[in-house]
Amino acid sequence: MTDSPVLWTLDARGVATVTLNRPEVNNAYDGALIAGVLAAMDDLGSKPNLRVVVLKGNGKHFQAGADLKWINGVRPQSTDANEAASRATFEAVQRLNTLPIPTVALVQGGCFGGGTGVIAACDVVIAADNALFSITEVRWGLTAAIIIPQLCDAIGVRQVRRYALTGERFGAEDARRIGLVHEVVPLADLDVAGSRVVEQLLANGPEAMAETKRLALESSFGGMGVDDAAYTRLVRLHSVKRQSAEAAEGLASFAEKRGATWAGAKS
């Protein structure tokens, strides 16, 4: 169905293309998109010939983070409902992170908030020269708790301490410099560059790549299982912060298109 929030195809080589498909909101994620990613992982996991997963975003932008209208709708619900939303989001990112198949993300336009966690969970990331990035959660009184492990793996704690605290925007070349992306190409060449990497991956032994990835994750921040205590703590922190007074003000400032109270008066 072309109106599904997540689309996927699988070609004869075993190359799957998973496409985030909410271009009307810049592919911002909500409950349906999260469920769609998890369903795609389930479906593709049953395919014996799966070799590579390519992740794309439909439209001008790759992924704009959380749909803040959806977040604001979840926030006043029960603690259990908020934890369930955080848990599903974490599982979607972590399943992509630990998938025993190489993953390639192709990024164009905006990649904000949770989108940076998604690409940090991929094995190879290629960005178009028009790509723009930001770990935005603090802007809205939220925390990036559930993607911090993947971001620490991708760009290191030192860079997380800058970009996740400032929430500043940075371009594709800076993203390459800090390790969030591996390669920057002209927008018109994005698919070609992705195809070149896919061909390199298809030339390698599937079991050898799966084992290499597994071993790498053993030494990573983001290698935790969904039953780990650290995982439970991150989910709880993420959901509790969403229900805080600070998050309520941050989300209200977004909806009302104004500065949050903590921003102070502009000189």
Side-chain angles (χ1 to χ4, degrees):
M1 294 176 59
T2 57
D3 59 349
S4 173
V6 177
L7 308 173
W8 66 266
T9 59
L10 182 64
D11 69 19
R13 301 171 300 166
V15 178
T17 300
V18 177
T19 304
L20 307 178
N21 188 42
R22 299 187 76 211
E24 69 280 3
V25 290
N26 302 326
N27 297 315
Y29 73 80
D30 62 0
L33 187 140
I34 293 166
V37 170
L38 290 169
M41 294 297 101
D42 287 340
D43 291 341
L44 290 170
S46 68
K47 307 299 182 184
N49 64 325
L50 182 65
R51 295 286 309 278
V52 179
V53 173
V54 177
L55 184 64
K56 306 173 71 172
N58 197 6
K60 293 182 178 180
H61 301 283
F62 175 75
Q63 211 281 317
D67 185 330
L68 294 186
K69 291 183 178 179
W70 171 69
I71 290 288
N72 212 19
V74 172
R75 191 187 63 79
Q77 296 178 27
S78 68
T79 299
D80 287 347
N82 274 269
E83 285 198 11
S86 292
R87 187 178 303 110
T89 307
F90 188 102
E91 287 183 7
V93 175
Q94 192 64 342
R95 286 186 62 183
L96 185 64
N97 192 40
T98 59
L99 194 71
I101 304 295
T103 52
V104 180
L106 304 181
V107 181
Q108 83 285 0
C111 180
F112 304 136
T116 62
V118 167
I119 65 170
C122 291
D123 298 311
V124 181
V125 184
I126 303 174
D129 53 9
N130 75 336
L132 192 62
F133 303 85
S134 178
I135 307 169
T136 49
E137 282 81 355
V138 291
R139 176 73 180 275
W140 315 117
L142 302 167
T143 69
I146 57 177
I147 60 170
I148 290 293
Q150 291 80 16
L151 287 167
C152 284
D153 286 334
I155 66 178
V157 174
R158 188 65 174 165
Q159 299 295 357
V160 169
R161 288 173 64 173
R162 171 176 176 167
Y163 291 102
L165 291 177
T166 64
E168 67 192 276
R169 293 189 173 192
F170 53 98
E173 287 297 341
D174 277 333
R176 185 183 63 80
R177 175 181 58 82
I178 66 175
L180 187 59
V181 308
H182 296 97
E183 185 178 354
V184 178
V185 299
L187 176 60
D189 297 339
L190 187 59
D191 286 335
V192 171
S195 296
R196 184 169 61 248
V197 170
V198 166
E199 290 298 330
Q200 290 174 323
L201 292 168
L202 290 174
N204 302 331
E207 293 180 9
M209 289 192 295
E211 182 67 5
T212 298
K213 183 170 179 177
R214 186 188 66 79
L215 290 170
L217 284 169
E218 284 184 2
S219 301
S220 71
F221 290 100
M224 70 188 75
V226 296
D227 57 347
D228 288 357
Y231 159 81
T232 300
R233 177 174 174 270
L234 289 173
V235 167
R236 186 162 296 128
L237 285 170
H238 190 258
S239 61
V240 166
K241 184 56 180 168
R242 186 193 301 121
Q243 293 187 286
S244 69
E246 186 171 80
E249 165 58 17
L251 292 166
S253 72
F254 169 78
E256 297 165 13
K257 295 180 171 57
R258 60 170 174 80
T261 53
W262 57 75
K266 293 183 178 180
S267 59

